[in-house]
Amino acid sequence: MRVRNKSKTEDDFINGSFSENKNDMEKGKKEENKCKPFSISLNDEYFQLINRNIQFAVKENLIGTSRSDVIKAALIAFEQLSDKEKINLLIK
């Protein structure tokens, strides 16, 4: 004989299984913010530039700085530029 679980609503059935456990729900939220792998190709000049910034971070006691950290910082800085400054950088 099959054991009946707590009945689900129609929305629960449509949207898939649900969890009554708060930890499972929090785990789902964490997975939404999970980093996604992204591959880019850069010439040696840019690769060295990233590495120089990692070396700078290490000198400033920011141990464990990765290439991803440098690229994220560059994107944040890029967002703070004016539109004209962004265009000037993009056409270089």
Side-chain angles (χ1 to χ4, degrees):
M1 177 180 263
R2 183 174 176 191
V3 178
R4 293 193 73 177
N5 293 336
K6 183 178 178 182
S7 32
K8 299 178 184 180
T9 66
E10 183 178 339
D11 288 336
D12 292 333
F13 179 77
I14 292 169
N15 295 323
S17 65
F18 70 97
S19 173
E20 296 175 22
N21 185 345
K22 185 177 179 181
N23 291 334
D24 288 346
M25 291 173 21
E26 289 175 1
K27 184 188 282 186
K29 289 180 183 177
K30 288 179 186 176
E31 289 176 4
E32 289 176 12
N33 293 329
K34 187 176 179 181
C35 294
K36 297 176 184 174
F38 185 73
S39 177
I40 58 174
S41 297
L42 300 171
N43 65 26
D44 195 48
E45 176 186 353
Y46 294 110
F47 189 76
Q48 289 176 7
L49 184 61
I50 293 170
N51 286 339
R52 280 198 304 269
N53 281 283
I54 292 172
Q55 290 171 349
F56 168 78
V58 170
K59 288 178 186 175
E60 296 296 319
N61 292 321
L62 297 172
I63 308 300
T65 302
S66 68
R67 289 184 180 99
S68 292
D69 295 328
V70 173
I71 292 171
K72 284 185 245 179
L75 289 170
I76 291 167
F78 186 78
E79 279 298 306
Q80 295 174 0
L81 298 175
S82 70
D83 289 345
K84 187 174 182 176
E85 290 171 316
K86 289 179 185 178
I87 290 169
N88 287 336
L89 284 173
L90 289 172
I91 60 175
K92 285 187 177 183

